[in-house]
Amino acid sequence: MDIVVKGRKTEVPERFRKHVAEKLKLEKIQKLDGKVISLDVEVSKEPNPRQADRSDRVEITLRSRGPVIRAEAAASDPYAALDLAAEKLEARLRRQHDKRFSRRGARRLTAAEVPDHVPGAATLNGNGHAVREEEPDAVPTKKIGSLEVKGEGPLVVREKTHVASPMTLDQALYEMELVGHDFYLFIDSETKEPSVVYRRHAYDYGVIHLSTDPMVAQAQPPAAGGTLGG
């Protein structure tokens, strides 16, 4: 496998190509992912003088039999940008490698071990029937954010609100690969509805679209004070 280095609206000097070969060690990459098919490095330049500190951008794209891995960085010169992008690529490769290793190393639990490892699992008696535990008469209830929680938990609630611009499905897939996540929530530019793209086990992608049920919407009581808008 060779490393393909190309420039987008800019020339790539031979010195930089040699630096790429020295920085991206193929032996090390293939050790983390033995199914690598191609490795592309694209260099581009930002013409805006106000962004001189981020004028050079390097994007590394690694394709294998698994998901595509991308790493991108910008700096004041292409060499510094390459160093930053290479660090991101190695971190994502290690994360994928560790995930695969942990799945292979996992073993199946016996029926007797399940209650010790799975919270809320039923305990079996000698005949193989579930043993019901007596529920307490009064279970304490508490409010965590907008949720009502019974008992002591444990429960960790983390709420986030993001401002999102509508985008196409292709843009959402690109953003998901760019951040290195297994899913990405976005607003579909065609339907203006929230949607989710996600990575499937067979190394392809899926998408979930949400839409409002018209029957449920009609059943909702009107808000106090009337409707908003013109």
Side-chain angles (χ1 to χ4, degrees):
M1 181 191 68
D2 295 328
I3 302 175
V4 177
V5 183
K6 55 185 177 181
R8 185 171 61 185
K9 297 182 180 180
T10 185
E11 294 291 333
V12 180
E14 187 63 28
R15 177 189 170 194
F16 182 79
R17 296 178 186 273
K18 293 181 179 179
H19 184 69
V20 170
E22 295 173 356
K23 188 67 180 180
L24 301 177
K25 300 293 185 181
L26 291 179
E27 298 83 358
K28 190 174 184 179
I29 292 175
Q30 290 175 332
K31 187 176 181 180
L32 294 172
D33 189 344
K35 300 179 180 180
V36 178
I37 298 174
S38 64
L39 186 63
D40 298 335
V41 177
E42 184 177 86
V43 184
S44 59
K45 196 168 186 66
E46 171 60 52
N48 189 347
R50 296 183 179 179
Q51 298 185 11
D53 57 334
R54 298 171 58 85
S55 60
D56 290 279
R57 181 176 297 274
V58 173
E59 179 181 309
I60 306 173
T61 303
L62 185 147
R63 293 180 174 84
S64 67
R65 296 181 185 177
V68 176
I69 299 178
R70 286 190 178 90
E72 185 178 5
S76 57
D77 64 82
Y79 297 91
L82 175 66
D83 293 345
L84 293 174
E87 291 176 4
K88 292 181 181 180
L89 179 70
E90 182 177 349
R92 291 171 185 173
L93 278 172
R94 288 190 180 279
R95 185 164 62 245
Q96 291 287 344
H97 177 268
D98 294 342
K99 187 185 295 185
R100 289 194 299 268
F101 181 80
S102 62
R103 287 176 181 173
R104 289 197 301 267
R107 67 178 182 87
R108 292 187 176 183
L109 300 176
T110 64
E113 295 175 317
V114 170
D116 297 331
H117 293 81
V118 181
T123 304
L124 303 181
N125 58 20
N127 298 324
H129 299 293
V131 178
R132 294 186 177 180
E133 297 182 358
E134 296 183 359
E135 297 182 358
D137 295 333
V139 179
T141 303
K142 57 185 176 181
K143 287 283 272 188
I144 299 181
S146 59
L147 301 178
E148 186 174 276
V149 182
K150 292 184 178 181
E152 295 298 327
L155 177 66
V156 178
V157 177
R158 185 179 181 185
E159 296 183 346
K160 279 189 175 182
T161 302
H162 294 278
V163 178
S165 300
M167 63 178 63
T168 63
L169 177 59
D170 289 341
Q171 289 174 316
L173 288 171
Y174 177 79
E175 293 293 336
M176 182 183 72
E177 294 294 351
L178 190 61
V179 299
H181 290 174
D182 292 331
F183 68 93
Y184 191 80
L185 176 64
F186 69 103
I187 302 296
D188 194 302
S189 58
E190 294 184 2
T191 63
K192 301 301 185 293
E193 297 284 353
S195 302
V196 174
V197 292
Y198 60 97
R199 184 177 294 113
R200 294 165 52 87
H201 295 294
Y203 302 122
D204 55 356
Y205 302 100
V207 58
I208 299 174
H209 298 288
L210 298 181
S211 61
T212 304
D213 189 338
M215 301 299 295
V216 175
Q218 292 176 6
Q220 294 290 338
T227 59
L228 297 178

